[in-house]
Amino acid sequence: MPKYVFVTGGVMSGIGKGVIAASIGKIIQVRGLKVTAVKIDPYLNYDAGTMNPYIHGEVFVTEDGGETDMDVGTYERFLDINVPKNHNITTGQVYFSVIERERKGDFLGKCVQIIPHITDEIKDRLRRIPKEEGVDLVLVEIGGTVGDIESLPYLEAARQLRLEEGGENVLNVHVTLVPVLDVVGEQKTKPTQHSVQELRRIGIQPDIIVARSKAPLKQEPRRKIGLFCNVEESAVFTSQDMDSIYQSPLLLEQQGLGTFMTHRLRLPENQPQWSSWKKMLQDHLTQTKQVNIAICGKYAELADCYVSVNDALKDAGASAGAKVNLEWIETDDFEKQSENVRLLSRFDGVLVPGGFGARGAEGKILAIEYSRSHNIPFLGICYGFQLAVVEYARHIGIKDAASSELDPETKSPVIDLMPEQNGILEKGGTMRLGAHEIAVDESSKAFSLYRKKTIWERHRHRFEVNPTYISELISKGLKFSGKSDSNRRMEILEVPSNKFHLATQFHAEFKSRPGRPSPPYFGFVQASLASNKQEVNVEQMIAHQSGGPR
Ligand code: GLN
């Protein structure tokens, strides 16, 4: 019998429910069981691809080309699995299927309703997963917070599933926030009590409560939560603030979460195997060196839209023995005053991530130009790759080079819409998505990093290098060291005369895993480490710059 663990959230969003859900999955996985995870997003969008990452967070791309919620990335990294796109269920998809079936006549003569038709569709989607994938346990995180109108059908489906599958096969975990009153330092349990009351009103009695709090829960608040929320005290756990999110599974395990779940779900009592996780964690927590990286983008302060980039750099740093200090630089500032770009000189490496649209793009080009001409290690991702081609083209004399995304009228579209994108009017799910095979040139930096002639990396783009300009770019020193679709598409670029100037059309960050960093990120961090600079005070630098060129 497959097991299901539902993870719901209380009090407020953004308290790290995804990390706790992934940690619970890890705790079961290290006991030798096959675990997967599902994220339910109760919004009407069909997928995350049409949402604003600056509000909703990163769009995580799966191997099979799904544009999913960023929590899916957390599951992949914690569980070291590829999560298929059908594991990100949205209200848009659920209603779409039910309405399509209604039109076909599947429910002829019936009144189609939220209960049972929508709830049945939700349960079917969940039950199909263990059947198709042969997993022992499906972790289901329900997005949002208990009390939201839009998540009600999912909670109802969870209630029904437990009734139908039996209490020993379905477990409910509720994650809440326990705030601390600054004045007296008291851990307040009332918001948790209210949240659980609401959950019970809907028909779900949690089996486990995980309280997010600054510090471990004290005895009295733990007792109170147990009593008022109707759970055993031994089923109340804390997820306190920690240095690395990868500590989370171990902290919960130490409090007995694994043993509790094993008994409640009647799982085999296997000894948990934590040794490789602990080794990875050790690398993440103890780094003797430091490296300073500038990430140049727009709305750069919102790190949530680049979680995977962030994590890929941390994974790479941990493996290279270096703490990666990231600074998000708004490229608009370079456009306002181009000499501002010189502040990049104090960094060991410059990264230009993926992105869309014209705003901030010229600033990114300035950042790339500065890194290339000052031999500062540079990594470009997707849009960063495309703008690196534009920058190089301008450098070799194609002065008006541009991407047609930036300037649709440009005379020199070195980056242009992919031919198959012409005529595509629908925006949802129509980019070149997911993993594609790439051939790597054996005499390249890329090959020395991947050590493979063929690789699979994930994509999300509409534009590409315009074939018309390739031979000119190559003859003037740019190397395309990775290609796909029978060498038609350019996937990796390098400037071999630089220490490290490499960019990829794909998003290598999506496949980075703790303990197994993504090769381009690892190469970039290593190169940055090799060019380590002394700390320079930025204010001093800017003051110095305004005094004239150095
Ligand atoms: N805007 C570019 C394109 O559509 C790059 C996309 C990205 O960076 N993900 O091709």
Side-chain angles (χ1 to χ4, degrees):
M1 278 295 261
K3 311 284 179 182
Y4 299 88
V5 175
F6 286 94
V7 180
T8 52
V11 184
M12 64 184 211
S13 62
I15 57 173
K17 183 154 53 89
V19 168
I20 292 169
S23 303
I24 293 172
K26 193 75 210 174
I27 288 172
I28 301 301
Q29 192 190 47
V30 293
R31 287 171 161 75
L33 285 122
K34 206 168 165 212
V35 176
T36 194
V38 170
K39 174 72 193 292
I40 289 178
D41 281 307
Y43 45 68
L44 278 165
N45 299 61
Y46 194 84
D47 59 34
T50 51
M51 283 191 291
N52 185 345
Y54 301 112
I55 297 167
H56 191 78
E58 169 186 88
V59 178
F60 184 81
V61 180
T62 59
E63 197 75 355
D64 61 355
E67 297 174 283
T68 66
D69 185 83
M70 62 182 207
D71 284 325
V72 173
T74 308
Y75 308 152
E76 288 210 351
R77 291 187 277 272
F78 272 71
L79 300 174
D80 197 6
I81 54 171
N82 284 342
V83 176
K85 62 179 167 191
N86 65 352
H87 287 218
N88 190 191
I89 300 173
T90 69
T91 300
Q93 293 165 19
V94 171
Y95 275 75
F96 199 87
S97 306
V98 173
I99 293 169
E100 247 179 2
R101 289 182 57 202
E102 185 276 335
R103 290 289 82 188
K104 271 203 287 176
D106 282 7
F107 310 113
L108 273 187
K110 289 198 188 108
C111 171
V112 182
Q113 293 181 297
I114 295 180
I115 304 172
H117 301 98
I118 294 295
T119 46
D120 280 353
E121 174 67 26
I122 297 166
K123 287 185 292 175
D124 282 353
R125 280 174 180 251
L126 294 177
R127 285 193 172 111
R128 238 176 275 152
I129 289 169
K131 224 176 269 161
E132 286 170 2
E133 299 173 24
V135 291
D136 304 306
L137 185 139
V138 186
L139 206 114
V140 187
E141 180 188 347
I142 302 181
T145 311
V146 169
D148 299 345
I149 292 175
E150 52 186 17
S151 61
L152 280 173
Y154 298 103
L155 296 172
E156 172 59 14
R159 187 192 68 77
Q160 292 176 15
L161 200 91
R162 178 172 174 134
L163 193 69
E164 292 160 7
E165 300 287 320
E168 73 278 18
N169 295 319
V170 179
L171 194 90
N172 288 304
V173 179
H174 191 55
V175 179
T176 70
L177 177 75
V178 173
V180 174
L181 276 192
D182 270 349
V183 213
V184 277
E186 192 187 344
Q187 295 176 320
K188 304 301 281 182
T189 65
K190 192 64 89 187
T192 301
Q193 295 176 38
H194 279 300
S195 172
V196 172
Q197 261 169 31
E198 181 62 11
L199 194 60
R200 291 169 68 193
R201 195 184 62 76
I202 296 163
I204 294 177
Q205 165 64 51
D207 301 285
I208 289 174
I209 292 175
V210 180
R212 270 288 291 122
S213 195
K214 270 192 159 48
L217 272 191
K218 292 184 188 130
Q219 187 52 38
E220 186 51 18
R222 179 189 300 274
R223 193 192 64 78
K224 262 192 184 168
I225 291 177
L227 179 66
F228 292 113
C229 301
N230 197 33
V231 297
E232 297 155 46
E233 241 178 271
S234 61
V236 182
F237 301 91
T238 324
S239 170
Q240 68 259 36
D241 291 355
M242 49 204 117
D243 295 327
S244 162
I245 53 170
Y246 299 128
Q247 283 168 282
S248 165
L250 286 166
L251 287 173
L252 292 170
E253 174 81 288
Q254 279 154 14
Q255 297 170 58
L257 190 112
T259 317
F260 187 90
M261 285 182 68
T262 304
H263 290 155
R264 269 284 289 100
L265 287 171
R266 303 198 190 146
L267 300 172
E269 295 193 9
N270 302 339
Q271 196 58 29
Q273 303 297 326
W274 284 111
S275 53
S276 63
W277 188 263
K278 280 185 178 162
K279 192 198 161 302
M280 174 280 292
L281 182 61
Q282 191 66 14
D283 288 344
H284 272 260
L285 292 175
T286 49
Q287 291 127 359
T288 47
K289 296 169 271 184
Q290 298 214 19
V291 66
N292 297 317
I293 305 287
I295 302 191
C296 302
K298 62 178 178 178
Y299 300 112
E301 67 278 12
L302 287 157
D304 249 12
C305 34
Y306 298 110
V307 198
S308 294
V309 170
N310 214 327
D311 284 358
L313 287 168
K314 279 192 199 152
D315 294 342
S319 295
K323 181 172 182 300
V324 181
N325 304 316
L326 299 179
E327 211 165 300
W328 302 82
I329 312 273
E330 176 73 54
T331 48
D332 261 2
D333 295 346
F334 301 160
E335 288 175 17
K336 281 182 213 135
Q337 219 173 358
S338 62
E339 57 270 27
N340 282 347
V341 76
R342 290 198 217 134
L343 75 83
L344 294 180
S345 67
R346 80 176 166 95
F347 289 94
D348 306 318
V350 171
L351 188 149
V352 176
F356 294 84
R359 200 176 75 73
E362 287 299 333
K364 291 179 188 176
I365 294 172
L366 284 171
I368 298 166
E369 198 263 328
Y370 189 86
S371 323
R372 188 186 47 72
S373 55
H374 291 76
N375 209 357
I376 301 172
F378 160 76
L379 179 65
I381 305 293
C382 200
Y383 204 27
F385 164 89
Q386 296 171 357
L387 296 177
V389 173
V390 173
E391 189 281 319
Y392 201 82
R394 290 182 188 173
H395 163 65
I396 61 168
I398 313 173
K399 289 289 172 223
D400 54 356
S403 161
S404 46
E405 181 175 2
L406 286 178
D407 174 9
E409 307 303 324
T410 178
K411 296 258 173 10
S412 305
V414 290
I415 299 294
D416 205 2
L417 200 63
M418 287 182 275
E420 64 272 34
Q421 288 282 328
N422 268 316
I424 288 184
L425 297 175
E426 284 193 11
K427 296 285 183 225
T430 54
M431 286 190 232
R432 179 172 181 247
L433 290 167
H436 292 270
E437 188 178 6
I438 296 151
V440 183
D441 179 341
E442 279 181 79
S443 61
S444 66
K445 183 148 271 163
F447 184 83
S448 70
L449 293 169
Y450 278 99
R451 294 171 194 277
K452 279 186 197 148
K453 280 196 282 185
T454 34
I455 56 169
W456 287 82
E457 290 282 13
R458 301 184 192 173
H459 298 73
R460 183 172 187 252
H461 64 120
R462 289 186 205 281
F463 294 82
E464 66 173 349
V465 181
N466 185 340
T468 318
Y469 295 90
I470 292 174
S471 56
E472 189 176 353
L473 289 163
I474 294 176
S475 71
K476 304 260 171 65
L478 194 64
K479 187 178 178 90
F480 287 110
S481 55
K483 295 171 190 172
S484 64
D485 288 343
S486 314
N487 293 339
R488 223 162 35 85
R489 285 187 217 284
M490 301 303 109
E491 293 274 3
I492 309 175
L493 72 76
E494 298 176 18
V495 172
S497 51
N498 271 37
K499 280 187 286 196
F500 190 96
H501 190 93
L502 186 143
T504 65
Q505 179 60 79
F506 50 82
H507 294 261
E509 64 273 17
F510 294 138
K511 289 179 88 159
S512 177
R513 302 278 163 88
R516 195 152 33 81
S518 158
Y521 282 85
F522 185 64
F524 171 60
V525 168
Q526 274 195 320
S528 306
L529 204 51
S531 68
N532 222 319
K533 299 193 184 79
Q534 294 297 314
E535 270 295 314
V536 179
N537 182 314
V538 203
E539 279 81 44
Q540 267 177 11
M541 262 197 51
I542 292 173
H544 181 66
Q545 280 163 12
S546 50
R550 287 176 301 146

